Amino acid sequence: MERIVNSLRVRLIGVVLVILAALVPPLYLGVSAIVREGYAERFVNSLRAYSRLIADELEALDESDFDRHAVGVLDSAVLSGQVVFAEIRDGSRTLHSSIATPSVNAPPRDDFHFGDQGDKTYFITHTVNRADHSVALRLGFDEVPTREQIAAAERRVLLAMAAFVATSIAVAVWLSWVIARPMVRLQEAAQRVASGDTHAQLDVGSSIREVQEFNYHLEHMRRELVGANEHLSREIREREVSEQKRLDLERRLLHRERIATIGTLAGGVAHEFNNIMTPILLYSQLALEEAPADSALARDLVRVIAAAHRARSLVTRILTFSRVMDSQQPSVFPLRVPVEEALALLREIVPTNIEIVLAAPEEPLSVLGDASLVHQVVINLCTNAYEAMRGSGGRLAVTLAAVENPDEPHLRAGLYHVLQVSDTGHGMDQTVLAHIFEPFFTTREVGEGTGLGLSVVHGIVSSLGGVITVRSAVGSGTTFSVYLPAAAAAATPATAASVEA
Amino acid sequence: MANILVVDDEVEVGEEVRRVLERAGYTVTVTNNATAALDAAAREPPDVVITDVIMPKVHGVQLITTLRERYPGMRVIAISGGGSFGPLAYKPDAISTHAYLAAAREAGAEVILTKPFDLTDLLAAVRRLLPN
């Protein structure tokens, strides 16, 4: 940028120089010509007048002794100083001044202009009328003094021109400096801001209006820049904080999910396991009763029974663990309570391009069971829903309703409280739908999900005495409907949970 | 000798309990579902009924209620699988065992045994419930 400013100065001066170069020479030549012509004209005019004077003088001479008197006149003309050649031609006879040097080159022609013939002498011929005939008077005048005058005048003109040029250049230099200096300062200040020192104020204190305005706008821009910078930094920090929060919540959610999965698996496995343990324990104990006391057989069986007892207590501990980690005693609760809690958690982690809506009636819609299980169901279903809409955004709608005698297979007649979770995601085709509740079935990449989410949901819904159904179409979205037997305030589990095929 | 009715949808369990009880000298009838159990009870009223709680079709709690209605004072021992969430895909009509056991107790089961139970516990429970 230094270069640009420099060239501004250079340009200004250059322009002035060009103008001067274009104007001054013709001006000088013009003025010189005028001066010269003025001098020449004056010279010629005066010479002409003088020759007329001499001619008149000669005409006034007496005819007698004309020659002698004529020479006298010629001599006086030469002596006056201007004349360097004087002659009277009378036919073939010539009379010269006795003083004038005949060596002066006297061409036969007359001069019409100053400087003619290049001989530094101006020749004039004048007719002199005598008594009976005319004679020619020829005078030669020295051009040199006039030439010297002309030269001096030209020098003066030259000097004036030079002074003019010098002054113009000086003014141009000063002007360019005056204009360029505030620009240099502004440019320096702008450079400072650009290199990071955004807090250096810009003020070049110039009196030129355009520069002042430029200064003002530049300063304004700088302030905006500083403000924008701070705003951005703040936003970045806030984003980082909320990103951290989101990651934390996701971790916690994943952890919960794993715990719940373990719990549900443990529950399912435990049941089967306990059934298997029953014959192991009972038959070992029977065999022990029939074994001879103190026999090796008896001792071996004692060990088997001890191991079976340990297995039993292990399963109990696992179940207790999963119960403690995850569930409470079954009770009657309004369906919306765990649903709202789950949605509150989800709102924190679901990206903003997914809209979450809950539609629930005024009535509590009570069900019997473990509220944290319903919480788990909502989390799992909503997680699947938002995964289906990740990237494209969409709507996740959770609806609660009471349905009398729902038109679903596997459901007895009666009042049910329904939880529906719908998404506007990519949907699933028939082949996927067929396997959707199977444990370890997943359409996700390895490491992205255990494939247990929906099987857990299915298990929980079953354990609550309900049924889960799914409707889906590729491209339009999916709806899961969880039907749970409605609980009256003080219903016993038996009436709430009886199911007949 | 006392007559004991055993109801469990798992055949294995029924046989195990029969072995233990017959060895202790009781007469045992084993059925696999509530309906058969009620029929057997009608034919020959048992002294004690040992029933699994979670069964398909009519579950144990219902059976207990019906038995107590028909035979007031009937002595019932309820046995359960012990898993708290119930099975998953293969027994879809089960709810929390917890709730079932509580319901069973409400319905009139005097003793609850959770599998796997000790032979001695089973015999002790039967002995306790019998009049002598």
Side-chain angles (χ1 to χ4, degrees):
Chain A
M1 232 188 136
E2 178 79 326
R3 264 197 305 264
I4 294 171
V5 177
N6 268 344
S7 91
L8 174 69
R9 278 191 243 150
V10 162
R11 274 190 213 183
L12 266 168
I13 295 168
V15 163
V16 167
L17 284 176
V18 163
I19 292 173
L20 288 175
L23 290 182
V24 165
L27 194 67
Y28 169 71
L29 290 174
V31 169
S32 302
I34 290 170
V35 161
R36 187 172 335 120
E37 279 185 27
Y39 275 105
E41 208 173 305
R42 193 159 50 131
F43 173 75
V44 168
N45 287 344
S46 76
L47 296 190
R48 291 229 172 95
Y50 190 76
S51 1
R52 214 182 344 246
L53 217 66
I54 303 292
D56 287 342
E57 235 184 273
L58 285 172
E59 278 182 355
L61 283 180
D62 209 40
E63 278 295 322
S64 58
D65 215 5
F66 174 80
D67 288 359
R68 197 168 56 90
H69 287 129
V71 170
V73 167
L74 293 180
D75 286 344
S76 68
V78 171
L79 283 172
S80 77
Q82 293 177 40
V83 178
V84 296
F85 178 82
E87 139 187 307
I88 296 175
R89 207 167 281 175
D90 186 357
S92 54
R93 215 164 43 102
T94 43
L95 287 169
H96 293 281
S97 156
S98 58
I99 308 170
T101 47
S103 64
V104 169
N105 192 10
R109 298 185 315 269
D110 284 342
D111 292 327
F112 289 102
H113 298 291
F114 178 81
D116 263 359
Q117 325 246 11
D119 54 4
K120 303 204 172 115
T121 312
Y122 192 82
F123 290 98
I124 290 182
T125 307
H126 215 286
T127 318
V128 173
N129 296 318
R130 287 180 64 182
D132 49 1
H133 65 288
S134 311
V135 294
L137 165 68
R138 207 144 181 269
L139 295 171
F141 294 88
D142 190 4
E143 289 176 347
V144 170
T146 307
R147 275 181 192 272
E148 283 170 358
Q149 280 176 339
I150 288 173
E154 279 181 345
R155 272 200 299 278
R156 280 202 299 280
V157 169
L158 191 66
L159 217 63
M161 290 286 138
F164 170 68
V165 166
T167 314
S168 305
I169 290 176
V171 166
V173 168
W174 173 80
L175 209 73
S176 72
W177 176 239
V178 161
I179 291 175
R181 191 170 23 134
M183 294 249 214
V184 169
R185 285 227 278 265
L186 268 176
Q187 170 249 319
E188 279 169 4
Q191 211 165 43
R192 273 203 305 276
V193 170
S195 65
D197 182 11
T198 52
H199 293 285
Q201 284 227 1
L202 294 173
D203 185 12
V204 295
S206 165
S207 57
I208 300 175
R209 185 170 57 91
E210 283 85 351
V211 176
Q212 271 177 349
E213 279 182 14
F214 182 43
N215 191 154
Y216 173 72
H217 285 117
L218 208 63
E219 174 65 10
H220 187 69
M221 256 170 44
R222 182 193 70 82
R223 297 233 184 94
E224 291 278 306
L225 187 69
V226 170
N229 264 1
E230 283 175 5
H231 185 76
L232 267 171
S233 316
R234 214 171 338 120
E235 239 193 61
I236 288 173
R237 274 197 304 276
E238 277 170 17
R239 287 259 178 101
E240 280 173 358
V241 166
S242 70
E243 177 69 18
Q244 198 53 44
K245 263 201 318 209
R246 193 186 70 88
L247 284 172
D248 271 339
L249 276 168
E250 249 185 28
R251 250 200 313 267
R252 285 217 300 269
L253 187 69
L254 200 64
H255 182 74
R256 249 192 95 99
E257 215 180 62
R258 280 204 215 102
I259 298 291
T261 308
I262 292 170
T264 315
L265 267 176
V269 168
H271 182 93
E272 205 43 37
F273 186 80
N274 288 335
N275 276 337
I276 294 169
M277 282 306 301
T278 309
I280 292 176
L281 188 55
L282 278 184
Y283 284 123
S284 307
Q285 286 172 330
L286 268 174
L288 181 62
E289 284 194 358
E290 287 171 19
D294 284 336
S295 65
L297 178 64
R299 278 197 295 279
D300 289 345
L301 286 170
V302 163
R303 286 210 165 87
V304 171
I305 291 163
H309 281 160
R310 277 206 304 279
R312 177 174 65 183
S313 72
L314 174 66
V315 171
T316 309
R317 273 206 310 273
I318 292 176
L319 285 178
T320 311
F321 164 77
S322 65
R323 206 175 296 146
V324 159
M325 288 300 283
D326 207 40
S327 58
Q328 311 145 11
Q329 298 286 28
S331 58
V332 173
F333 60 91
L335 197 51
R336 75 186 308 149
V337 168
V339 169
E340 278 172 350
E341 271 174 24
L343 287 181
L345 189 71
L346 284 161
R347 283 202 172 92
E348 290 291 317
I349 61 171
V350 163
T352 48
N353 62 343
I354 292 171
E355 186 197 358
I356 299 180
V357 287
L358 169 65
E362 285 293 316
E363 309 93 74
L365 302 179
S366 304
V367 295
L368 168 73
D370 188 335
S372 68
L373 293 183
V374 173
H375 190 283
Q376 190 63 44
V377 163
V378 175
I379 294 282
N380 282 15
L381 291 177
C382 289
T383 303
N384 279 5
Y386 99 74
E387 287 287 335
M389 295 188 285
R390 190 181 272 225
S392 59
R395 199 162 184 266
L396 198 167
V398 176
T399 316
L400 303 181
V403 176
E404 184 96 36
N405 305 330
D407 184 19
E408 292 283 346
H410 313 300
L411 277 184
R412 229 162 66 109
L415 179 66
Y416 288 84
H417 292 150
V418 186
L419 160 70
Q420 254 189 3
V421 175
S422 310
D423 65 69
T424 55
H426 50 60
M428 297 177 275
D429 63 14
Q430 288 305 312
T431 36
V432 172
L433 280 177
H435 299 287
I436 201 161
F437 292 115
E438 283 172 21
F440 305 111
F441 177 79
T442 179
T443 55
R444 291 192 217 149
E445 298 300 314
V446 170
E448 267 188 43
T450 50
L452 288 171
L454 282 178
S455 68
V456 166
V457 166
H458 188 280
I460 291 173
V461 172
S462 302
S463 76
L464 291 168
V467 152
I468 178 168
T469 66
V470 57
R471 270 195 331 276
S472 182
V474 174
S476 38
T478 306
T479 302
F480 283 92
S481 304
V482 174
Y483 293 87
L484 296 172
T492 60
T495 37
S498 55
V499 175
E500 282 175 17
Chain B
M1 249 326 225
N3 182 12
I4 304 181
L5 175 61
V6 177
V7 189
D8 197 313
D9 61 308
E10 304 239 356
V11 173
E12 264 276 1
V13 176
E15 284 313 305
E16 288 153 25
V17 174
R18 180 210 289 280
R19 269 292 299 277
V20 171
L21 293 176
E22 281 182 348
R23 203 173 168 284
Y26 302 106
T27 315
V28 183
T29 315
V30 176
T31 58
N32 298 119
N33 59 70
T35 323
L38 287 170
D39 289 341
R43 277 199 305 273
E44 199 177 327
D47 296 299
V48 173
V49 173
I50 302 177
T51 175
D52 187 17
V53 167
I54 300 176
M55 292 188 293
K57 297 213 170 126
V58 181
H59 56 65
V61 177
Q62 182 108 38
L63 174 61
I64 297 171
T65 314
T66 314
L67 282 170
R68 299 276 292 192
E69 277 170 16
R70 292 193 194 169
Y71 313 97
M74 173 64 69
R75 302 205 161 80
V76 179
I77 298 173
I79 57 179
S80 88
S84 50
F85 304 133
L88 302 178
Y90 53 93
K91 273 192 181 159
D93 47 4
I95 62 164
S96 160
T97 313
H98 233 100
Y100 262 116
L101 292 180
R105 213 184 274 279
E106 280 228 6
E110 292 171 60
V111 178
I112 311 271
L113 290 174
T114 50
K115 292 187 229 181
F117 40 80
D118 285 314
L119 180 151
T120 44
D121 291 338
L122 175 62
L123 290 174
V126 168
R127 229 174 274 129
R128 217 173 73 218
L129 289 188
L130 284 173
N132 34 318

